[in-house]
Amino acid sequence: MPSAPAEKRRDDPAARRSMTLTTWFAVVAAVLGVVLIIWPKLLPAGGPWVQLALGVLTLFFAFRARAIGTRSVEGYDGRVSLAAAMAGFVIMFFAGNAAFSVLSALGA
């Protein structure tokens, strides 16, 4: 017995606006995080912790944009939010390394 045809999604303008905003928030947080990774002297006090926070924000906004886009936006193309999510993982990796170095120096 064949299954019922899939219900076609409506294109919700509010969801499209939310998806666009969260995607751009993720991109901005990713750019700030990458800039702090490249030039860590810009923020000497608390730099690794700010980088970790920017990485978390990047991942949160990127995956939120992807969730909204796949559920409520017809013809959603998530390449920008996927790139932001990958940048968020890179930020978390390097910032985690820097934060671990700071914590290790405190323990020695």
Side-chain angles (χ1 to χ4, degrees):
M1 182 164 145
S3 62
E7 183 179 316
K8 188 172 180 170
R9 287 183 287 169
R10 287 187 340 213
D11 193 16
D12 185 11
R16 182 174 292 277
R17 186 174 39 258
S18 296
M19 184 262 317
T20 304
L21 280 174
T22 54
T23 300
W24 284 111
F25 288 156
V27 168
V28 167
V31 167
L32 289 174
V34 168
V35 164
L36 284 178
I37 286 174
I38 293 172
W39 296 294
K41 301 290 184 196
L42 290 176
L43 192 61
W49 311 113
V50 173
Q51 290 173 358
L52 280 171
L54 286 171
V56 168
L57 281 174
T58 301
L59 289 173
F60 174 76
F61 284 129
F63 285 118
R64 184 70 187 143
R66 292 186 66 77
I68 293 169
T70 54
R71 267 188 274 129
S72 303
V73 177
E74 185 178 343
Y76 171 68
D77 181 23
R79 288 182 281 186
V80 176
S81 60
L82 179 63
M86 291 189 323
F89 284 119
V90 169
I91 293 166
M92 292 292 290
F93 177 77
F94 286 109
N97 185 19
F100 181 75
S101 298
V102 169
L103 291 176
S104 296
L106 290 176

